[in-house]
Amino acid sequence: MENIQEMEKQIAALKAQMDGFDAKVTENKLSMIVFSGDLDKALAAFIIGTGAVAMGMEVVMFFTFWGIPILRAPDKEGKGKDMMSKMFGWMLPKGASKLKLSKMNMGGVGTAMMQSLMKKKNVASLEQMIELAAELEVKIYVCEMSMGLMGFTREEMIDYPGLTYCGVAKFLEEAMNSKVQLFL
Amino acid sequence: MSDSIKEDKTIDLKGLPCPMPVVKVNKGIKQVDVGQVLKAIASDPGALTDFPAWAKTSGNEILKTDQEGDDIIFYIKRLK
C-alpha cells in the first residue's frame, strides 16, 4: 500500500516535470530584433528573414528604435503630433526607400550608387523584400514604447498583414522558444 | 544528358541573387507531388552551397547537380 502511494507520488512529480519540458521545447523559429535603421542592415535582416522561411522556419521580426522608420509609409501622415514628434518625423527616414547606408553614404551619393548597383545586379530592393516577407507570412512586431518615444503614430505605418504592436515581453516569449535569435 | 532523371517541373532561377533562389526553390518544390522531381536552373554560384543546405534542412533530396556554362542545374526530389 505504501509502495503504491510512493509510486503515485513519483508519477505526479514526473508529470509536473514533463509539463515543464513542454514549455521549454524550442520551435523551429527565428526571432530577430531590427534595431538599426540603416539600409544595409535592414536589407540583411529581410534577406535572413525570408531565407529562413525558405529553410522551413517560422520568422518573427521585432522593430524597435531606429528600425521603426523602416516601416513608415511614404504616403501617410501621423495626426495630432507635438513639436518634438514632428521633428523626429522630419529627421528620420520616411520609409524603406529613404534609408541610408551605414558606411560610405557620402551625403547620399554612396547610397544612390549602391541602389543603382543593386538594380543592375538584380538584387531585390528593401521595399520588394518587405513585400516578399509579407507574402511569406513573416510576422512583424513593433515596439510600442519606441513608437511613443519618437512620436510615431500607427496611422503612418505601412499596411503589413498582421503587424502587431508589443513590448519587450512579447519578444522575449518568442525568443525563448526560438532556435535562432538575432540582433541587427 | 541528364541520365535517367526525369523532371516533373522546371523552374528558371537564372539571374537571381540571394535570397531569391532558395525562396523560389522552396516555393517550387511545393508545386510538385511528394516523390516527384523538380529541376531548378540557377546562375548564382552561391546556390552550389545554399541548395544542399536548403535541401538538408527542408528534408528534400538533391539527386544531381550539373553545371553547363553559367547554369547550375539541380534535380531535386520532393521527399515530404
Side-chain angles (χ1 to χ4, degrees):
Chain A
M1 202 56 199
E2 234 171 70
N3 254 346
I4 291 172
Q5 273 177 351
E6 187 57 33
M7 271 172 71
E8 275 174 349
K9 248 190 218 163
Q10 283 178 354
I11 287 171
L14 266 172
K15 265 190 183 159
Q17 261 189 353
M18 291 297 285
D19 288 346
F21 283 144
D22 269 353
K24 277 182 212 155
V25 169
T26 53
E27 294 163 32
N28 192 18
K29 194 191 302 185
L30 165 69
S31 290
M32 205 182 324
I33 296 180
V34 184
F35 183 90
S36 160
D38 301 317
L39 175 62
D40 36 18
K41 292 180 190 175
L43 256 175
F46 276 94
I47 289 171
I48 297 167
T50 53
V53 176
M55 298 291 274
M57 301 181 89
E58 189 189 330
V59 178
V60 285
M61 296 173 82
F62 293 82
F63 286 77
T64 186
F65 245 88
W66 311 117
I68 289 179
I70 300 169
L71 302 174
R72 288 173 82 194
D75 54 343
K76 293 189 196 168
E77 293 295 335
K79 286 172 204 119
K81 289 193 175 190
D82 60 22
M83 199 54 205
M84 283 300 272
S85 304
K86 279 181 189 162
M87 275 172 62
F88 266 112
W90 293 326
M91 287 187 294
L92 289 169
K94 197 165 182 191
S97 65
K98 297 280 166 36
L99 304 191
K100 303 271 174 266
L101 288 175
S102 65
K103 287 188 180 17
M104 292 168 57
N105 180 45
M106 301 180 288
V109 179
T111 297
M113 275 171 64
M114 181 64 81
Q115 276 164 337
S116 96
L117 254 180
M118 282 168 63
K119 222 175 227 170
K120 199 170 148 200
K121 304 214 169 181
N122 217 5
V123 174
S125 70
L126 184 56
E127 298 99 298
Q128 288 168 328
M129 290 305 294
I130 295 173
E131 270 175 41
L132 178 67
E135 193 189 310
L136 296 176
E137 295 176 22
V138 168
K139 183 110 180 96
I140 287 187
Y141 289 99
V142 181
C143 171
E144 184 74 71
M145 187 273 271
S146 303
M147 288 276 293
L149 185 63
M150 296 178 171
F152 291 127
T153 60
R154 294 186 182 194
E155 65 254 31
E156 66 186 296
M157 307 303 274
I158 55 167
D159 294 314
Y160 186 94
L163 189 139
T164 307
Y165 298 89
C166 72
V168 69
K170 187 66 202 168
F171 168 71
L172 290 169
E173 184 205 11
E174 297 280 10
M176 272 187 254
N177 296 324
S178 296
K179 270 189 187 165
V180 184
Q181 303 104 14
L182 293 173
F183 183 99
L184 279 100
Chain B
M1 209 181 79
S2 63
D3 292 333
S4 58
I5 303 171
K6 264 262 177 282
E7 67 272 14
D8 297 282
K9 186 185 164 69
T10 302
I11 51 170
D12 183 1
L13 310 170
K14 283 188 278 187
L16 294 176
C18 181
M20 290 308 168
V22 278
V23 168
K24 295 210 164 174
V25 78
N26 192 58
K27 234 186 230 174
I29 200 78
K30 287 171 185 149
Q31 287 160 7
V32 299
D33 294 329
V34 173
Q36 287 190 326
V37 175
L38 176 74
K39 178 181 176 183
I41 311 165
S43 59
D44 177 14
L48 279 170
T49 29
D50 263 19
F51 274 42
W54 163 80
K56 196 178 161 195
T57 318
S58 63
N60 294 291
E61 188 187 354
I62 296 180
L63 301 174
K64 193 165 180 277
T65 308
D66 280 339
Q67 273 183 277
E68 289 172 14
D70 288 338
D71 293 356
I72 308 162
I73 305 158
F74 298 93
Y75 294 88
I76 308 148
K77 188 176 181 182
R78 181 172 177 186
L79 293 186
K80 59 180 191 185

